[in-house]
Amino acid sequence: MWITPEEVLLANALWVSERANPFFILQRRKGHGRGGGFTGLLVGTLDVVLDSSARVAPYRILHQTGDSQVFWNIACGSSRKEITEHWEWLEANLLQTLSIFDNEEDITTFVKGKIQGIIAEENKNKQTLEDEDSGKFREAELKMRKLFGMPDEEKLVNYYSCSYFKGRVPRQGWVYLSVNHLCFYSFLLGKEVTLVVQWTDVTQLEKDAAVLFPESIRVSTRDTEHYFSMFLNINETFKLMEQLANIAMRQLLDNESFSVDRSLPKPCKTLKNVSTLKRDLDARAKNERYRAMFRLTQDERLDGHTDCTLWTPFAKMHVVGQMFVSNNYICFASREEDLCQLIIPLREVSIVEKADSSSVLPSPLSISTKNKMTFLFANLRDRDFLVQRISDFLQRTPDRVWSDSKEVLESPSPTTPFLTPPSPSEAFSGRYYSPGLPTATQGLLSIFKKNAPEDLGPKATKEKMKEESWNIHFFEFGRGVCMYRTSKTRELVLNGIPESLRGELWLLFSGAQNEMDTHPGYYSELVEQAMGRCTLATEEIERDLHRSMPEHRAFQNEMGIAALRRVLTAYAFRNPNIGYCQAMNIVTSVLLLYCTEEQAFWLLVALCERMLPDYYNTRVVGALVDQAVFEELTRECLPLLYERMQELGVISTISLSWFLTLFLSVMPFDSAVLLVDCFFYEGIKVIFQVSLAVLHANMEQLLSCSDEGEAMTILGRYLDNVVNKQTVSAPIPHLHALLTSGDEPPPEIDIFELIKASYEKFGSLRSDVIEQMRFKQRLKVIQSLEDTAKRSVVRAIMTDSAFSLEELEELYVLFKAKHIMSCYWGASTTAAERHDPSLAYLEQYRIDRGQFSQLFTALAPWGCGAHTPTLAARLFRLLDQNKDGLINFKEFVTGLSGMYHGDMTEKLKLLYKLHLPPALCPEEAESALEATQFFTDDVTPQDSPCLSTLDFLMQEMKSGDEQKAVEASDGAGDSEDKKEEKVKDYKYYLRMWAKEKEPKKETIKDLPKMNQEQFIELCKTLYNMFSEDPLEQELYHSIATVASLLLRIGEVGKKFSNNGARKPDSLCTLSPAVDSPLPVKEEPAGEGSSAEAQVTKALEEAQLEVTTTEEEAKDDTSVSSYSMVSAGSLQCEDIADDTVLIGCGDQRPGSVLDVDWAITFEQVLASMLTEPPLVDYFEKKLDIRAKMAACRFQRAVERQVSSSSEHEFSQLSG
């Protein structure tokens, strides 16, 4: 490639000159190519360790003038071919021009200007994204692609110098982290180490500090472990690895491939050695932390953050912390945890003004909201810039107030269907949902308590005291989304939220209030669009509606059931990726007790999409991950109990329901709802704390139990007796408690004491530590699910396939790798179309024709040289029964199994079907469709053997209708007989339909006939199949004999068809060549020779193609490629070894093939059986393991090898 001219002082240091003229020198790096000795090895090692560009570009061209000692590097190349092209261009275009100049400085100026002009022209069409990356980084990306054979679609994120431990020996080199791969390269004194690991294969990623590997990163896959150490910044490297592995796991989970965030702000200057992708990933990580900290929506993007102080009027002091500004919010978090947190939505902001600075209050900023609250920030570093950014965001923020004029915004989720804004007159006058519904304005608990007598007991007094405490808190700290959140807020939550405030505070702490305020009218419109549809999700919802808290009277009537149905159906419609999952009904029914329908809907959104990520997808991955985190926490906090529980296998059994339903299904309702209060404020960590506290409280009993059942009974009985003594609601019978037994009633456990104990013993748990543990376990869980999927698929097709278990598992790995590769390197269909997690495992991964062709070429036993892609395309069309352009693993194995494990008849049947429609497309054989039409239309419908049962059924029903009309005209005297007959006919039709749908075993008699052009294609395929066989000469003779025999059989068959009944008139329109019955000659040899010439010509063309494409692979003394018998002769013994196939002279080019000619599969099979070489070839036992091993050792990323070798160009230069 041409490069911007760079000055070189020592031209011959570590370089060898190969060509020279008065103005230019072509040089090669020492140690590259042949020879080089110890000096070459040393230079190569230095290039790798010092990250020299000479490693990836070992050739260069220097510009030199006269006696000047200064050289200019103007071009570099990775191969001799590339650099030679540049050299030849210089000689052809510049040498003559440069000889005219008198001044050497003018020559140098002209050359530099010319090279810069060429570079500018080349870069004119490049994407701006690439231009943002620094030159050094682009060079590293090119180096990665050359060293590891990556295509242009593979983007490098960053690269680091490190050591890779191969055995116990560290190899110093460079690790390249791309979007989809971890790659390492080292070259030390002739020893080259290359490693490529796909992120989707990583099962564990850990940062270790062992004796042998100080400060190392361990990357584990299913087969091996890799250790990397000696990083300059190991924490940065490890975080980036975590992010990339997380993206890969997300791809395995729901096929979300990585896409660059185009909305990132551009840097003011190009950052050295930092790619755009690295900035993108860093920004994503900051956004995720920001959103998690303040419970914001997924589309919120952090613009920046700065240190500052916030005046807290309740404490009369300035709190030190950080201000965060994003597109819709201004947030504050104190440096000391739980001291103060604040969220100010920009839609609530009315005034932002700069106050006067003073020594006590430098750079203050005052922000006022619409509900008359004012927040004073100070000690802002760049106050003017901050005010400008906030002002910009405020201008983009629509003015939204809580009024009756509703406005529908753009859908907050990418999976949500587009919603049309309702007109004001019909904003809430929907068919399924309206503001007049009781559940649209209040929670179910309030509705059912309306007529109850007022309770004046001590519990009610306690409840009123709680309400008063919260009112005092609202007065001091504010109410609504702009409330100051402090340690005092947490104390009030832990003491229990009063029932009257529960819905409001759940919305506030979860962040659902913000989403509901910014999307007014969204829920009502969604309900109208979702209700009335029949999907798999709605069926599951209907099945579970009456199982949702059936013990509560709110769900013992249609009002509660209907509200639950609307909320669940609306969410399933909003997020089809999740749809509906069991346990969602239990959680949603609790939300509806305290919230309106719309509030419950947005709380469900917050739960499923932010607070419990991946919990409610088809494989409950999030719950499985947290279950694994809980096991790890048990091992750390309760090591003795962990060992015993592992022996019993209890933890994985008991904890899934705890996490999925937030204890609502295993604990009395009044107690569990207090845990939900804490969960909405603290997040998932409170569920972990309480779970550990439950195990700790039962430790002695669990250690002494003998089996899993006893352990589960102990824990179940304990949770059943966790009571809330302060509840004011009527007691609700807990169904789970009815299952426990015992003579003595177990002691009651106060829920407040349990929560208090969990904070005392396990309150040190931090959310960021839990997130780190989640990542570690997510790798294991998802890879474990992938292994389960593999075993399920293999078991499902074991009975239908002749491959062994190990072979099927290996084939599945190759098939899945090809699918995943298509997701990130592009294909004819999108990843979403290829992968549907809701389908059975067998259907989840699918590949298109291009990928199938690659696998077919690598694995199929029928190697046909240049003809292989054609054969692969035909097999793909044959296997793709639903015509969606994709095939699943079962279909893929079916095709391979026939080729490897079928007997001769099965293999020939497959080969035969590959040359008939639909495998043979019209472009390959134009007359195939005509022949098919001829053979199907030639028979009258009455005598048609191809008339399906369904067609017969339609005719029967039609005749039945006519008969019924006749009987109706005769009167109603025999109506009962007709009724019996109708029932009988109905059952008969059902039986007939079921029989039609039954899979039928295909026999060789079911195969349609093959016409002449299809037969020619079959001969082509056979010829190409034998071209690489050791016995190709004998096979060629055999196939020629069979071809001649079949041609004559076809001619004989044509006689009978022509001497039979005259063809229908409709046949005359097929072709001008068949507008009258063809005369039968006494000697069919003339016709035969014409048809044989077609075969001869086709085989000759195929032969010439193979000869030219594989010319270099053939030995000069071998004439087997050129030897073939004439198709017009049956005597193979008289053919010399050097006979060349020649077509018959009387065949005119472009003549119409005979559409009357046809043969059957039985005739093909019988003819093949007469030739022992063909029988031996198709009966030969084949083993796929060798080909799979070749695929396994060959990297999934195919190397881009230069088409020209060093040897060729050394000869040219010589």
Side-chain angles (χ1 to χ4, degrees):
M1 58 182 286
W2 301 106
I3 60 174
T4 305
E6 299 174 350
E7 191 173 322
V8 178
L9 296 177
L10 298 174
N12 294 317
L14 307 180
W15 292 85
V16 179
S17 297
E18 294 197 341
R19 296 188 187 184
N21 60 41
F23 303 104
F24 302 103
I25 302 172
L26 189 154
Q27 293 187 325
R28 172 177 55 82
R29 187 73 164 177
K30 284 184 179 177
H32 183 79
R34 296 184 175 182
F38 180 75
T39 307
L41 293 177
L42 191 60
V43 171
T45 302
L46 286 173
D47 287 343
V48 170
V49 174
L50 301 178
D51 192 28
S52 169
S53 60
R55 184 67 200 164
V56 70
Y59 298 94
R60 71 179 182 182
I61 296 176
L62 302 180
H63 166 61
Q64 168 198 27
T65 55
D67 298 329
S68 173
Q69 296 300 311
V70 178
F71 297 80
W72 294 90
N73 188 6
I74 59 172
C76 64
S78 59
S79 67
R80 192 183 292 275
K81 179 182 178 182
E82 181 185 4
I83 205 70
T84 304
E85 288 175 357
H86 286 7
W87 179 264
E88 290 172 351
W89 187 90
L90 290 171
E91 286 186 329
N93 295 281
L94 288 190
L95 275 187
Q96 191 172 359
T97 307
L98 295 179
S99 61
I100 301 172
F101 288 92
D102 297 328
N103 190 339
E104 292 182 355
E105 291 184 5
D106 292 344
I107 293 174
T108 302
T109 304
F110 178 79
V111 170
K112 288 165 66 178
K114 191 72 175 174
I115 299 301
Q116 287 170 346
I118 294 172
I119 294 171
E121 189 66 28
E122 287 178 349
N123 293 340
K124 191 166 61 176
N125 298 323
K126 283 191 177 178
Q127 296 179 357
T128 56
L129 178 65
E130 293 180 359
D131 294 336
E132 287 180 12
D133 293 337
S134 66
K136 182 72 175 172
F137 188 85
R138 285 204 299 273
E139 184 182 293
E141 190 167 46
L142 290 172
K143 191 183 300 183
M144 177 202 73
R145 289 178 186 156
K146 177 179 182 293
L147 290 173
F148 307 105
M150 301 287 181
D152 292 343
E153 291 85 0
E154 186 69 1
K155 301 297 183 185
L156 178 65
V157 180
N158 214 347
Y159 63 106
Y160 302 93
S161 172
C162 70
S163 290
Y164 169 59
F165 283 83
K166 193 170 176 64
R168 295 195 175 188
V169 181
R171 303 295 180 92
Q172 186 66 29
W174 292 82
V175 63
Y176 297 86
L177 306 180
S178 70
V179 173
N180 304 297
H181 296 86
L182 179 153
C183 308
F184 177 82
Y185 182 79
S186 172
F187 181 86
L188 292 176
L189 300 178
K191 297 289 186 182
E192 189 177 42
V193 176
T194 305
L195 174 71
V196 178
V197 177
Q198 288 189 5
W199 290 117
T200 49
D201 292 335
V202 174
T203 57
Q204 197 169 359
L205 201 59
E206 283 188 310
K207 193 164 59 171
D208 294 327
V211 178
L212 289 176
F213 312 116
E215 278 282 281
S216 64
I217 294 175
R218 181 176 61 171
V219 180
S220 304
T221 64
R222 288 179 177 85
D223 306 320
T224 184
E225 293 181 343
H226 307 283
Y227 289 88
F228 301 89
S229 67
M230 307 290 286
F231 290 95
L232 292 175
N233 190 340
I234 191 168
N235 291 325
E236 178 191 330
T237 310
F238 186 69
K239 281 181 182 177
L240 182 56
M241 285 182 171
E242 280 187 330
Q243 280 183 286
L244 293 170
N246 238 336
I247 291 169
M249 292 307 105
R250 177 60 54 186
Q251 183 177 309
L252 285 176
L253 184 60
D254 53 19
N255 246 55
E256 285 185 6
S257 56
F258 178 79
S259 57
V260 179
D261 189 351
R262 303 288 182 185
S263 62
L264 279 179
K266 293 188 178 180
C268 51
K269 63 177 182 178
T270 301
L271 302 173
K272 186 180 179 183
N273 295 352
V274 176
S275 69
T276 310
L277 286 177
K278 178 70 167 63
R279 285 199 309 113
D280 184 351
L281 289 171
D282 289 345
R284 286 177 191 231
K286 287 181 181 178
N287 285 335
E288 286 172 9
R289 285 196 297 271
Y290 169 63
R291 290 193 293 256
M293 186 186 299
F294 298 104
R295 305 272 169 80
L296 302 177
T297 56
Q298 296 295 327
D299 57 350
E300 201 61 29
R301 298 171 189 276
L302 179 64
D303 188 69
H305 56 90
T306 181
D307 292 334
C308 68
T309 58
L310 171 67
W311 171 253
T312 52
F314 53 87
K316 303 293 187 292
M317 61 181 286
H318 292 279
V319 176
V320 179
Q322 279 192 320
M323 176 194 281
F324 301 83
V325 179
S326 61
N327 44 335
N328 292 300
Y329 297 91
I330 299 170
C331 302
F332 175 85
S334 60
R335 187 175 296 171
E336 184 182 339
E337 194 176 4
D338 288 336
L339 188 58
C340 181
Q341 196 183 70
L342 181 66
I343 300 172
I344 309 173
L346 291 181
R347 66 177 184 276
E348 295 294 313
V349 172
S350 57
I351 300 172
V352 178
E353 59 181 348
K354 294 183 281 189
D356 295 333
S357 293
S358 67
S359 57
V360 180
L361 204 63
S363 302
L365 180 67
S366 172
I367 298 177
S368 301
T369 63
K370 293 173 183 175
N371 59 355
K372 310 303 181 190
M373 290 183 73
T374 301
F375 305 96
L376 186 63
F377 298 90
N379 291 283
L380 294 161
R381 257 185 253 169
D382 197 346
R383 184 176 61 167
D384 294 339
F385 177 74
L386 179 65
V387 170
Q388 183 60 46
R389 292 302 294 162
I390 295 174
S391 176
D392 292 342
F393 286 128
L394 281 171
Q395 288 177 0
R396 300 177 208 161
T397 304
D399 185 23
R400 290 190 188 83
V401 293
W402 300 347
S403 66
D404 292 333
S405 58
K406 297 291 180 181
E407 175 190 6
V408 174
L409 304 178
E410 186 181 346
S411 162
S413 169
T415 58
T416 312
F418 177 75
L419 300 178
T420 55
S423 62
S425 61
E426 55 180 24
F428 284 102
S429 57
R431 179 180 168 195
Y432 297 99
Y433 180 81
S434 69
L437 288 171
T439 51
T441 54
Q442 53 189 325
L444 288 169
L445 212 57
S446 303
I447 295 172
F448 285 91
K449 274 190 171 183
K450 268 184 182 178
N451 301 323
E454 186 178 358
D455 187 0
L456 299 175
K459 290 184 178 179
T461 307
K462 181 82 172 176
E463 186 78 359
K464 287 193 179 298
M465 289 175 61
K466 283 185 184 178
E467 289 179 14
E468 191 58 33
S469 298
W470 275 100
N471 288 329
I472 294 170
H473 185 273
F474 291 148
F475 180 78
E476 287 187 27
F477 298 89
R479 187 166 188 170
V481 288
C482 298
M483 180 176 73
Y484 292 97
R485 304 174 196 206
T486 66
S487 53
K488 175 72 173 172
T489 314
R490 175 195 273 181
E491 288 176 20
L492 287 174
V493 171
L494 296 185
N495 288 329
I497 299 175
E499 287 184 355
S500 58
L501 295 174
R502 191 161 267 151
E504 175 190 342
L505 292 173
W506 282 359
L507 284 166
L508 181 65
F509 297 144
S510 66
Q513 184 71 58
N514 287 317
E515 267 193 293
M516 190 172 77
D517 290 345
T518 52
H519 298 90
Y522 175 81
Y523 171 70
S524 59
E525 189 70 16
L526 197 62
V527 169
E528 295 305 316
Q529 296 197 19
M531 294 297 290
R533 295 172 181 261
C534 184
T535 63
L536 180 63
T538 57
E539 290 177 10
E540 292 176 345
I541 288 169
E542 288 298 326
R543 189 182 63 225
D544 285 351
L545 282 176
H546 294 279
R547 304 177 189 172
S548 309
M549 294 190 69
E551 67 275 16
H552 200 291
R553 58 178 181 156
F555 295 98
Q556 293 169 358
N557 60 78
E558 186 54 33
M559 182 194 296
I561 295 294
L564 183 61
R565 178 188 292 114
R566 284 191 290 271
V567 173
L568 291 173
T569 305
Y571 186 77
F573 186 66
R574 165 193 163 86
N575 192 343
N577 287 340
I578 291 178
Y580 171 77
C581 172
Q582 282 188 335
M584 285 173 69
N585 60 320
I586 296 172
V587 175
T588 309
S589 58
V590 173
L591 300 178
L592 280 168
L593 289 175
Y594 300 99
C595 307
T596 67
E597 276 187 45
E598 187 176 13
Q599 292 171 341
F601 170 80
W602 288 112
L603 279 170
L604 185 61
V605 169
L607 275 173
C608 296
E609 297 175 14
R610 295 197 302 277
M611 300 188 73
L612 298 175
D614 300 323
Y615 258 58
Y616 299 109
N617 58 23
T618 50
R619 296 191 277 183
V620 293
V621 172
L624 293 173
V625 168
D626 280 352
Q627 181 178 283
V629 171
F630 178 54
E631 287 193 33
E632 189 174 351
L633 288 171
T634 307
R635 181 167 54 83
E636 291 178 5
C637 303
L638 307 168
L640 289 176
L641 182 60
Y642 171 77
E643 291 179 9
R644 182 61 184 150
M645 298 288 274
Q646 284 297 103
E647 291 173 12
L648 299 175
V650 175
I651 294 182
S652 58
T653 308
I654 59 173
S655 58
L656 191 60
S657 60
W658 296 3
F659 290 102
L660 271 175
T661 65
L662 305 176
F663 284 96
L664 287 165
S665 64
V666 294
M667 196 181 280
F669 169 74
D670 293 325
S671 304
V673 78
L674 289 174
L675 293 182
V676 178
D677 292 343
C678 300
F679 167 75
F680 277 122
Y681 186 81
E682 292 275 27
I684 194 64
K685 81 167 199 169
V686 76
I687 304 298
F688 284 117
Q689 288 177 192
V690 172
S691 301
L692 289 169
V694 169
L695 292 184
H696 184 269
N698 293 276
M699 187 185 296
E700 290 184 9
Q701 290 176 279
L702 290 172
L703 286 173
S704 60
C705 64
S706 56
D707 56 25
E708 179 186 0
E710 186 181 348
M712 292 182 67
T713 303
I714 291 168
L715 290 170
R717 189 178 299 174
Y718 178 88
L719 291 171
D720 286 336
N721 288 279
V722 175
V723 296
N724 178 7
K725 297 177 181 178
Q726 298 180 11
T727 182
V728 292
S729 300
I732 302 169
H734 183 46
L735 295 185
H736 191 268
L738 303 176
L739 303 176
T740 60
S741 60
D743 298 331
E744 295 181 7
E748 291 183 341
I749 301 96
D750 191 341
I751 181 64
F752 293 102
E753 292 298 321
L754 179 61
I755 293 173
K756 182 181 177 183
S758 75
Y759 273 91
E760 288 175 353
K761 295 184 174 69
F762 309 105
S764 59
L765 276 181
R766 295 173 53 89
S767 298
D768 54 346
V769 175
I770 290 174
E771 283 303 316
Q772 184 68 30
M773 295 170 76
R774 273 178 164 177
F775 162 75
K776 178 181 173 183
Q777 299 300 333
R778 191 179 292 118
L779 290 179
K780 293 180 182 177
V781 167
I782 293 180
Q783 296 291 17
S784 173
L785 288 171
E786 290 296 310
D787 291 340
T788 303
K790 178 175 70 174
R791 288 192 295 270
S792 300
V793 169
V794 168
R795 280 199 302 267
I797 62 176
M798 268 290 289
T799 54
D800 300 330
S801 171
F803 288 115
S804 67
L805 180 69
E806 293 77 14
E807 289 170 345
L808 283 173
E809 287 186 346
E810 185 66 30
L811 282 172
Y812 180 84
V813 169
L814 294 171
F815 185 89
K816 186 180 123 186
K818 189 61 68 176
H819 162 87
I820 289 175
M821 199 177 295
S822 72
C823 297
Y824 53 70
W825 283 349
S828 58
T829 53
T830 63
E833 291 172 348
R834 298 159 170 276
H835 185 263
D836 185 357
S838 64
L839 293 173
Y841 287 134
L842 192 60
E843 299 277 346
Q844 285 189 13
Y845 294 116
R846 294 178 291 172
I847 59 174
D848 63 14
R849 191 170 75 179
Q851 297 160 319
F852 175 79
S853 181
Q854 294 171 14
L855 284 175
F856 181 88
T857 305
L859 297 172
W862 295 346
C864 297
H867 194 62
T868 303
T870 306
L871 197 64
R874 291 176 187 168
L875 181 57
F876 182 85
R877 285 191 290 270
L878 186 66
L879 296 174
D880 183 20
Q881 296 180 359
N882 58 358
K883 308 300 176 194
D884 63 348
L886 298 169
I887 63 169
N888 60 32
F889 182 64
K890 183 177 182 180
E891 293 165 337
F892 172 72
V893 169
T894 301
L896 278 184
S897 186
M899 288 186 277
Y900 273 100
H901 297 292
D903 57 15
M904 181 179 179
T905 304
E906 291 296 321
K907 290 178 182 176
L908 285 177
K909 189 196 296 184
L910 177 60
L911 200 59
Y912 184 85
K913 288 163 73 173
L914 288 177
H915 297 84
L916 296 173
L920 195 73
C921 63
E923 291 78 13
E924 293 177 318
E926 294 179 358
S927 64
L929 292 176
E930 293 181 1
T932 306
Q933 187 178 358
F934 168 72
F935 287 118
T936 53
D937 291 350
D938 198 14
V939 194
T940 57
Q942 289 81 3
D943 302 325
S944 172
C946 302
L947 189 65
S948 69
T949 312
L950 191 58
D951 295 332
F952 172 74
L953 179 61
M954 295 298 292
Q955 291 181 8
E956 286 289 317
M957 292 178 71
K958 196 171 181 182
S959 61
D961 291 342
E962 293 172 359
Q963 180 68 24
K964 190 163 57 174
V966 172
E967 291 176 357
S969 63
D970 293 339
D974 53 349
S975 59
E976 293 181 8
D977 296 338
K978 279 197 301 178
K979 194 176 291 184
E980 289 177 6
E981 183 183 350
K982 184 178 180 182
V983 173
K984 178 183 176 182
D985 288 344
Y986 177 69
K987 291 180 180 178
Y988 171 73
Y989 293 146
L990 279 179
R991 283 198 301 271
M992 294 289 284
W993 179 78
K995 188 176 180 182
E996 174 75 20
K997 292 295 179 185
E998 283 179 5
K1000 296 178 181 176
K1001 184 72 175 175
E1002 186 182 53
T1003 65
I1004 58 176
K1005 293 185 180 296
D1006 296 329
L1007 294 173
K1009 294 181 179 181
M1010 178 178 280
N1011 70 10
Q1012 202 172 84
E1013 190 163 354
Q1014 294 162 354
F1015 175 65
I1016 291 170
E1017 291 294 328
L1018 176 62
C1019 292
K1020 276 187 185 180
T1021 300
L1022 288 169
Y1023 179 88
N1024 284 287
M1025 279 173 62
F1026 304 147
S1027 62
E1028 298 175 4
D1029 196 275
L1031 302 174
E1032 59 179 336
Q1033 186 64 45
E1034 292 83 347
L1035 289 167
Y1036 289 151
H1037 281 271
S1038 298
I1039 197 58
T1041 306
V1042 169
S1044 299
L1045 180 59
L1046 287 170
L1047 284 167
R1048 295 180 183 279
I1049 290 173
E1051 289 299 323
V1052 173
K1054 191 174 71 171
K1055 278 186 184 181
F1056 291 104
S1057 65
N1058 285 339
N1059 286 334
R1062 193 179 187 281
K1063 299 183 181 74
D1065 294 339
S1066 61
L1067 185 61
C1068 300
T1069 62
L1070 287 177
S1071 168
V1074 291
D1075 54 0
S1076 61
L1078 293 173
V1080 181
K1081 297 185 181 179
E1082 294 181 1
E1083 296 180 6
E1087 290 271 337
S1089 63
S1090 169
E1092 288 160 16
Q1094 288 282 344
V1095 180
T1096 302
K1097 184 178 179 184
L1099 293 178
E1100 186 176 15
E1101 288 172 357
Q1103 174 188 358
L1104 291 175
E1105 290 171 7
V1106 175
T1107 304
T1108 53
T1109 55
E1110 301 183 3
E1111 191 174 6
E1112 65 275 3
K1114 298 289 182 183
D1115 189 7
D1116 293 337
T1117 60
S1118 172
V1119 293
S1120 59
S1121 299
Y1122 302 90
S1123 302
M1124 189 63 194
V1125 298
S1126 169
S1129 169
L1130 289 174
Q1131 301 297 325
C1132 300
E1133 299 84 7
D1134 302 331
I1135 307 301
D1137 286 342
D1138 56 352
T1139 302
V1140 177
L1141 185 65
I1142 300 174
C1144 298
D1146 60 345
Q1147 175 67 27
R1148 296 190 309 276
S1151 60
V1152 180
L1153 288 173
D1154 194 345
V1155 294
D1156 290 334
W1157 187 98
I1159 55 172
T1160 64
F1161 175 71
E1162 293 100 315
Q1163 292 164 347
V1164 173
L1165 178 61
S1167 303
M1168 292 278 196
L1169 289 171
T1170 62
E1171 291 296 322
L1174 290 175
V1175 175
D1176 292 342
Y1177 180 86
F1178 284 105
E1179 288 286 0
K1180 184 168 54 179
K1181 295 295 182 184
L1182 301 168
D1183 190 357
I1184 197 174
R1185 284 177 292 186
K1187 286 186 177 286
M1188 287 196 300
C1191 279
R1192 191 165 55 245
F1193 289 115
Q1194 174 196 13
R1195 286 211 325 267
V1197 183
E1198 295 178 0
R1199 289 187 175 273
Q1200 300 170 339
V1201 182
S1202 174
S1203 59
S1204 20
S1205 64
E1206 297 286 336
H1207 178 61
E1208 292 172 12
F1209 281 97
S1210 63
Q1211 287 181 334
L1212 289 173
S1213 59

